Amino acid sequence: MTQRAIPAVFMRGGSSKGVFFHARDLPADRTALDPILLSVIGSPDPYGRQLDGMGGGVSSLSKGVIIGPPTRPDCDVDYTFAQVAVDRPVVDWASNCGNLSSAVGPFAVDEGLVRVSDGEALVRIHQVNTAKVIHARFPVADGKAAVTGDFAIAGVAGTGARIRLDFLDPGGAATGALLPTGRPLDLLKVPSVGSVAVTMIDAANPVVMLAALDLGLDGTELPDAIEARGDIMAALDAIRRHAAVAMGMATRPENAGLAIPKIAMLSAPADYTTLDGQTLHAEQQDVAIRMISMERAHRAVPLTGAMCLGVAARIEGTVAHRLSRPVVGDEVRVANPSGVLSVGAEVEGGNARSAVVFRTARRLMQGQVLLPG
């Protein structure tokens, strides 16, 4: 059987990896596009490994990115993100991946979509899924995005060239409002769980936040320990789905999408051991997060989730504000299973003006992906 070839680039962005395409090489019709992405990534895979595709068996490695000409005059490229489920034939187009956002600028420069001079480049990105704008700044040498550098991020071995991402006006990315219910704290009634105090906030991506203690956890648990607790995973899923209804994102809990809203358990700073065996002390962090993404416990933290937490920590009355250290300076240090991620956020008059994070990215492979038949 002859296979079909499509030009593609495989890239790491932050602590995620994905397959990058030019929009010109793919159909615009999503009924035709979804089967292509499922085949490329290797979904659905009942074994959860995606061995017959480019995915890696977890949500952070099961992603597609489409880059095309800008449809806004204030941007240089359009960036559309696809989250591909591992074990079911689902492609979710409702959200953005903050980590892969860091690879969009370098891809655009390396592919000749944006012409820049050596030094610091600025690529203005229209994030199509959320209708938001991201400014990516990164070093360029000999006309290509620099790869080597001394900047390290938690969850990724080694160092690379630093990429600054400014998410402009991140509030209401999916719901149209920073606080979809109009309140920083809600008592959410979930039949299988009870009443739970949550913050439902939408900055970069919508997230439901609750205290880990409210589910009997201390917030220092690592992903495998969380997933081993079937009762905790079921409770988190139920809370997330009922929050989707409260946020106006679904008419019924069972209709809630897989990708968003995401759900996060927060806790006050405490000593814990990271996935690489290092001890992270309480004084090195401002607030801790354990996040569920695509029904799996994330091994770090989705970048948009960390940014959302950075914004929430600056809003009085939220779960994040209650559990975090008093915010001093420009950054909030977010502790996660892989280490610490610092995020900056500007909140003024109840509005999120911007969120800032730093990442690294690298092109891993370029050429063509092959589709059966």
Side-chain angles (χ1 to χ4, degrees), residues 204-260:
N205 263 334
V207 179
V208 187
M209 301 178 182
L210 69 151
L213 284 174
D214 287 347
L215 290 184
L217 302 180
D218 60 23
T220 64
E221 293 83 2
L222 294 181
D224 287 348
I226 295 172
E227 289 191 350
R229 291 286 303 275
D231 57 332
I232 296 295
M233 293 295 289
L236 288 169
D237 187 60
I239 295 168
R240 188 186 75 83
R241 290 179 178 276
H242 280 79
V245 176
M247 298 170 82
M249 301 179 64
T251 55
R252 297 186 299 173
E254 55 268 30
N255 294 337
L258 280 177
I260 55 173

Side-chain angles (χ1 to χ4, degrees), residues 85-230:
V86 174
D87 59 351
R88 64 192 77 179
V90 174
V91 180
D92 194 302
W93 299 94
S95 63
N96 176 35
C97 173
N99 275 295
L100 287 189
S101 297
S102 64
V104 173
F107 175 89
V109 167
D110 290 352
E111 293 292 305
L113 298 175
V114 179
R115 302 293 183 183
V116 297
S117 302
D118 285 2
E120 184 181 74
L122 165 63
V123 176
R124 303 167 302 167
I125 301 163
H126 172 210
Q127 210 300 302
V128 174
N129 308 70
T130 59
K132 296 293 184 178
V133 174
I134 306 167
H135 285 180
R137 291 178 171 86
F138 51 92
V140 171
D142 298 324
K144 299 291 185 180
V147 173
T148 58
D150 58 5
F151 189 69
I153 60 176
V156 178
T159 61
R162 193 183 78 163
I163 300 168
R164 174 181 172 134
L165 295 175
D166 291 78
F167 289 72
L168 308 184
D169 186 27
T175 66
L178 179 62
L179 296 173
T181 68
R183 297 175 294 274
L185 191 71
D186 285 275
L187 194 62
L188 189 67
K189 296 182 179 179
V190 182
S192 60
V193 180
S195 295
V196 186
V198 300
T199 291
M200 293 175 275
I201 183 168
D202 181 4
N205 263 334
V207 179
V208 187
M209 301 178 182
L210 69 151
L213 284 174
D214 287 347
L215 290 184
L217 302 180
D218 60 23
T220 64
E221 293 83 2
L222 294 181
D224 287 348
I226 295 172
E227 289 191 350
R229 291 286 303 275

Side-chain angles (χ1 to χ4, degrees), residues 307-351:
M307 288 188 291
C308 198
L309 175 54
V311 170
R314 297 174 183 272
I315 300 176
E316 189 171 352
T318 64
V319 174
H321 187 270
R322 175 163 54 89
L323 292 174
S324 69
R325 298 183 192 277
V327 177
V328 178
D330 297 331
E331 296 184 348
V332 177
R333 298 171 299 170
V334 177
N336 62 80
S338 291
V340 171
L341 168 62
S342 291
V343 297
E346 181 184 354
V347 179
E348 183 180 309
N351 296 313

